[in-house]
Amino acid sequence: MFEVQRLGKVAYQPTWDEQKNMVRALDEGQIQDQLLLLEHPHTVTLGRGSHIHHLLLSTQDYQSKGIDVVEIDRGGDVTYHGPGQLVGYPIFYLDHQKHDAHSYLRDLEQAIILALSSFGITAGRMEQHTGVWVNEEKVAAIGVKFHKARHKKGYITSHGFALNVNTDLRYFSTIVPCGITDYGVTSMSRILGKEVEMDEVVVEVESAMKQVFT
């Protein structure tokens, strides 16, 4: 079982630093698995597979809009984080004999699909694109890093998922989200036609993660 930390609204860089600390602590047996649930201020992140032309504004334009741009060590391309989006960072130990990278990504997708179903939203997967989709629009992005454990066999995860709850989708127009040009993005509030209580989403996501990862 994992411990859940509900952090509220926190800046990106300190949270990334804390993930690194937790990966080390979990590897050394100082803590149990952790799930961080939070919101970030306006931030664009560039994963290891990012292409610079997927940033559609200049550095000065991002600054003028109050958007931080951060190069990070997860897989994947460019994505956006911001208010009204629930971000989850699982710091989990994966025994390589029981849980490989592919199945971990599918389980993250499944947890989000389960959580969305509790709000009456039918979501699913798209074979060629990691994430969770509703009618060919992405409602949740997933990008992770697998750290090879030093003190035991297997891997430890960091980074995770970003679920658009009440996200201002106009910010996605400043990037090519995940490098995908053929499909759009959506949010729970757009699908349901009303604002969604973030606390309720946190509860359902936490519950779904426990169902899938227990």
Side-chain angles (χ1 to χ4, degrees), residues 2-207:
F2 53 84
E3 179 182 359
V4 179
Q5 297 192 40
R6 301 180 182 180
L7 302 181
K9 297 179 179 179
V10 290
Y12 190 89
Q13 187 67 49
T15 313
W16 185 19
D17 293 339
E18 183 60 20
Q19 288 185 71
K20 298 172 189 175
N21 293 334
M22 286 185 169
V23 166
R24 286 192 292 269
L26 180 57
D27 192 11
E28 295 169 1
Q30 299 174 9
I31 60 172
Q32 66 185 97
D33 287 0
Q34 302 287 313
L35 173 61
L36 312 183
L37 295 174
L38 53 111
E39 293 178 67
H40 284 310
H42 300 296
T43 308
V44 166
T45 62
L46 292 83
R48 296 190 308 272
S50 295
H51 299 277
I52 195 66
H53 62 272
H54 291 162
L55 295 177
L56 302 181
L57 302 180
S58 67
T59 300
Q60 293 77 14
D61 286 339
Y62 282 113
Q63 290 176 345
S64 69
K65 292 180 179 293
I67 303 172
D68 289 334
V69 179
V70 185
E71 293 186 33
I72 59 175
D73 59 351
R74 62 160 171 79
D77 207 306
V78 178
T79 195
Y80 162 79
H81 298 305
Q85 183 189 73
L86 178 62
V87 176
Y89 295 134
I91 313 298
F92 288 176
Y93 168 65
L94 303 182
D95 182 336
H96 72 287
Q97 293 182 336
K98 299 179 181 178
H99 211 137
D100 61 22
H102 177 80
S103 63
Y104 174 69
L105 293 173
R106 301 296 78 78
D107 282 350
L108 282 182
E109 291 168 345
Q110 182 60 27
I112 297 168
I113 290 168
L114 281 173
L116 289 171
S117 70
S118 66
F119 293 89
I121 297 174
T122 301
R125 299 177 176 87
M126 188 172 291
E127 184 176 351
Q128 295 180 341
H129 300 296
T130 298
V132 177
W133 300 76
V134 177
N135 296 329
E136 297 191 339
E137 292 183 314
K138 185 180 284 189
V139 69
I142 294 174
V144 302
K145 180 175 181 178
F146 298 99
H147 306 256
K148 187 172 178 57
R150 302 178 67 181
H151 298 280
K152 47 192 172 183
K153 294 181 179 179
Y155 294 86
I156 297 171
T157 68
S158 64
H159 299 287
F161 61 85
L163 172 60
N164 296 327
V165 181
N166 302 307
T167 314
D168 185 344
L169 300 176
R170 291 175 295 181
Y171 280 89
F172 283 98
S173 67
T174 68
I175 62 173
V176 179
C178 301
I180 300 172
T181 58
D182 297 336
Y183 305 101
V185 293
T186 191
S187 66
M188 294 178 67
S189 60
R190 180 179 174 188
I191 294 164
L192 297 173
K194 62 179 181 181
E195 188 154 314
V196 183
E197 285 292 332
M198 181 63 79
D199 288 345
E200 294 180 12
V201 180
V202 169
V203 168
E204 295 299 335
V205 167
E206 180 179 331
S207 175

